[in-house]
Amino acid sequence: MRRSRPSSTRSVLTVLSVLAVALLATTGPAAAPAQARDGSPGPRQDVSLAAPNFKAPYPCGQRWTLSHHSAEVRRALDFVRADGGSTAGTPVLASAAGTATRMSQPSGAGNYIVIDHGAGWQTYYFHLASYSVPSGAAVGQGQQIGVTGSSGNSSGAHIHYEQLLNGVGQNIVVNGEGLPYPAQYNQSYLTSDNGCGGGGSNFRTWGSDIRVRADAYLNSAVVNVLAGPTDVRVVCQKQGSTVTAEGYTNNWWSKLRDQGGFISNIYIDHPAAQLPGVPVC
């Protein structure tokens, strides 16, 4: 004959069953993400996308002035040279590595390049005189992508430069520091370290007491002096003041990696006025 359990035992089992149901209600499968009333996913936590280490969009050692016009699209800055060199015809460099695409807008941006850097970041380079890379090319930081000009809706040669995140213009940052937005030129300046490279090319100087200047001009400040023939590393070269010495005349200058300035190529122990294998600043 089957015996029934004591009523006290049934009471304990009932309590345990209730507790188990309550526990399952609180620890069951993870709830689905919250949705908006229209069925779309609810808000997600924003993820900060690290920007590339952007550099100036023009060659190593060059000093340019910048301005922002209130009528400009997004958060653009315009750059023109302020070191005595010609703005028109100066190489335009990729400010960070990415994929370059050629674009054209004759009534506005003119010939321009868009570089996609990944993670939603892009840079724009407007008003080019010409392109230096094919559309779709992978470019490295410091690589020439075009030539400065005044194509499109432009009143003079300059680089119109933008940094965008997910299509939205950002305040421009170079070498990790935000740039100012002056309303006119010659209020703020930026010297480029883009494309300088880490090493440079080996050369030897000749002569004594050779002055190293802050820029490639005879009126630039003296920042160093080479007492005698010296082994130097030349990172780039550019045209500046014409110098005559020992029967030679030259307007090319070399930027020295370790001495912090420029010397006339006359004092580089090499027969060529423009040094071979050395990029233009």
Side-chain angles (χ1 to χ4, degrees):
M1 180 175 177
R2 186 177 177 183
R3 300 176 59 184
S4 62
R5 293 180 180 177
S7 59
S8 60
T9 302
R10 288 199 300 270
S11 299
V12 171
L13 290 174
T14 300
V15 171
L16 291 175
S17 297
V18 171
L19 290 175
V21 170
L23 183 62
L24 285 172
T26 59
T27 63
Q35 291 187 327
R37 291 181 180 178
D38 62 2
S40 61
R44 298 190 307 173
Q45 184 177 3
D46 290 333
V47 178
S48 178
L49 299 177
N53 182 29
F54 292 117
K55 293 188 177 295
Y58 45 86
C60 171
Q62 291 184 1
R63 184 171 182 257
W64 293 49
T65 183
L66 52 135
S67 73
H68 172 75
H69 303 294
S70 58
E72 292 276 25
V73 297
R74 295 178 288 268
R75 295 296 293 159
L77 282 173
D78 292 334
F79 292 87
V80 297
R81 290 191 70 167
D83 56 9
S86 172
T87 299
T90 293
V92 177
L93 308 186
S95 58
T99 301
T101 301
R102 292 184 180 189
M103 306 292 285
S104 180
Q105 187 186 49
S107 63
N111 303 320
Y112 69 103
I113 290 272
V114 177
I115 300 181
D116 188 337
H117 306 285
W121 286 96
Q122 293 178 314
T123 48
Y124 287 7
Y125 312 76
F126 286 8
H127 309 303
L128 302 176
S130 61
Y131 305 106
S132 300
V133 293
S135 197
V139 297
Q141 186 175 64
Q143 181 175 340
Q144 182 172 338
I145 57 172
V147 175
T148 305
S150 188
S151 63
N153 184 15
S154 170
S155 59
H158 68 285
I159 301 174
H160 169 113
Y161 175 70
E162 301 180 33
Q163 294 174 355
L164 295 88
L165 175 60
N166 296 325
V168 178
Q170 305 294 302
N171 287 340
I172 291 173
V173 173
V174 171
N175 290 332
E177 296 187 3
L179 298 187
Y181 277 73
Q184 54 187 324
Y185 293 121
N186 299 313
Q187 293 183 340
S188 184
Y189 302 87
L190 178 66
T191 298
S192 174
D193 67 346
N194 196 2
C196 291
S201 301
N202 285 315
F203 290 93
R204 187 168 178 80
T205 68
W206 65 273
S208 59
D209 297 326
I210 305 303
R211 297 177 180 181
V212 180
R213 298 185 180 272
D215 207 344
Y217 304 96
L218 291 171
N219 61 357
S220 297
V222 175
V223 297
N224 213 323
V225 177
L226 305 182
T230 306
D231 291 322
V232 295
R233 301 282 286 184
V234 177
V235 295
C236 63
Q237 59 188 329
K238 69 177 183 178
Q239 292 178 300
S241 297
T242 298
V243 176
T244 299
E246 301 290 330
Y248 297 95
T249 298
N250 198 345
N251 71 337
W252 282 93
W253 291 64
S254 289
K255 180 175 177 60
L256 306 183
R257 185 192 68 180
D258 302 319
Q259 286 77 22
F262 292 81
I263 64 170
S264 169
N265 280 8
I266 279 183
Y267 300 111
I268 299 291
D269 192 9
H270 193 281
Q274 183 179 357
L275 301 177
V278 176
V280 174
C281 295

